[in-house]
Amino acid sequence: MMVKLVDILIGGLLMGGIYALIAVGFGLQYGVARVLNIAHGEFIMLGSFAAWTLFTVLGVSPLISLFICAPAFFAIGFVIYRVLYTPLRVSAESPAAFEGNSMLASFGLLFVIQNLALIIWGAPVKGYSYMAYPVSFLGTVFPANRIVTLFASVVLGLTFYFFLANTRTGKAIRAAAQDANAAELMGVHINRVLALCFGLGAMMAATGGLLLSMTSSVTTPFMGMEYTLIAIIVVVLGGLGNIKGSFIGGFILGLVGYIVTSYEPGLSMVAYYVIFLFLLLVRPTGLFGK
């Protein structure tokens, strides 16, 4: 029984680490920049394909690829916001109008990215083996790549939280999350900060996809939507705009998903939707929202 509990705990944390990174990125884009980015999962897919390409074609370790992909996808996300979403925000009659227009724009972005991925990598499933040897811990056995993924997720999450809590830019992001108009009146360059949030969100999504590619051999151009839905559920679970809540919510959902999967693999998404609907009905502000 103890071995089973340890297996569920560690397995859930391993899954939750990736969910946490994905959700933090989505929380920045929607909770702060107010972009309901339906294409968020496509950045996860691109990060996974980037890791596969660098490893299989150039022989670059996925852990080294983190330092290549993170700044590259941050720059891509930053440019996308400035080119696509900043004009929509400036011309919108109200914040609600901007949210609606940005969601429609993100649907278009989804299909553009998805079709580019089809052209570049094709439809067949891609995968590679990296650090797949077993590691024993308290009577349970896990592949080493999953342990590394958990460690990397926690380190990245804590580093990002430190950035938000202790830097001037992080304080500007938190101010924008509370009230963008008030932050702008206080001297925050709001369009730049919101573009920064979108870029950081794209970076976190791509990083999550890169780590996911180390543990999963299912990388296809159509994998993004599932992770977008998971990110939405985690953000609702943690509380909209609450970055710490999104990070903790990712681990909670990972634990729930692993418990359900260990008994009935096909019901994990059903369990996620049940949690989502329950929160919307009982506590729409989330577990850590105010």
Side-chain angles (χ1 to χ4, degrees), residues 55-196:
F55 183 73
T56 59
V57 177
L58 302 177
V60 179
S61 163
L63 297 178
I64 301 299
S65 298
L66 277 172
F67 300 97
I68 300 172
C69 293
F73 279 98
F74 167 76
I76 291 170
F78 188 90
V79 170
I80 286 175
Y81 187 91
R82 294 305 293 262
V83 172
L84 181 61
Y85 294 109
T86 296
L88 290 176
R89 181 179 181 274
V90 171
S91 62
E93 296 179 355
S94 65
F98 170 66
E99 287 189 33
N101 292 338
S102 66
M103 183 178 68
L104 293 175
S106 70
F107 269 110
L109 184 62
L110 181 154
F111 290 115
V112 168
I113 295 175
Q114 194 175 92
N115 282 279
L116 285 175
L118 275 171
I119 293 170
I120 296 171
W121 290 288
V125 174
K126 302 290 192 301
Y128 61 92
S129 178
Y130 179 75
M131 295 182 68
Y133 52 85
V135 174
S136 179
F137 180 73
L138 296 179
T140 62
V141 178
F142 290 95
N145 52 25
R146 301 194 71 186
I147 304 296
V148 171
T149 295
L150 173 60
F151 179 76
S153 300
V154 172
V155 169
L156 289 170
L158 292 177
T159 301
F160 186 71
Y161 183 75
F162 178 84
F163 163 76
L164 286 180
N166 297 283
T167 66
R168 186 177 180 86
T169 303
K171 292 176 181 178
I173 290 174
R174 288 187 286 124
Q178 293 179 8
D179 191 323
N181 292 327
E184 189 171 20
L185 291 174
M186 295 301 293
V188 174
H189 297 285
I190 196 66
N191 286 327
R192 186 187 305 166
V193 168
L194 297 183
L196 179 67

Side-chain angles (χ1 to χ4, degrees), residues 38-46 48-49 110-126 212 218-229 269:
I38 306 301
H40 187 68
E42 310 317 303
F43 289 94
I44 298 167
M45 175 264 291
L46 289 177
S48 187
F49 268 125
L110 181 154
F111 290 115
V112 168
I113 295 175
Q114 194 175 92
N115 282 279
L116 285 175
L118 275 171
I119 293 170
I120 296 171
W121 290 288
V125 174
K126 302 290 192 301
L212 182 67
V218 184
T219 300
T220 75
F222 309 104
M223 64 183 283
M225 183 54 72
E226 176 184 345
Y227 291 102
T228 298
L229 295 175
M269 287 302 295

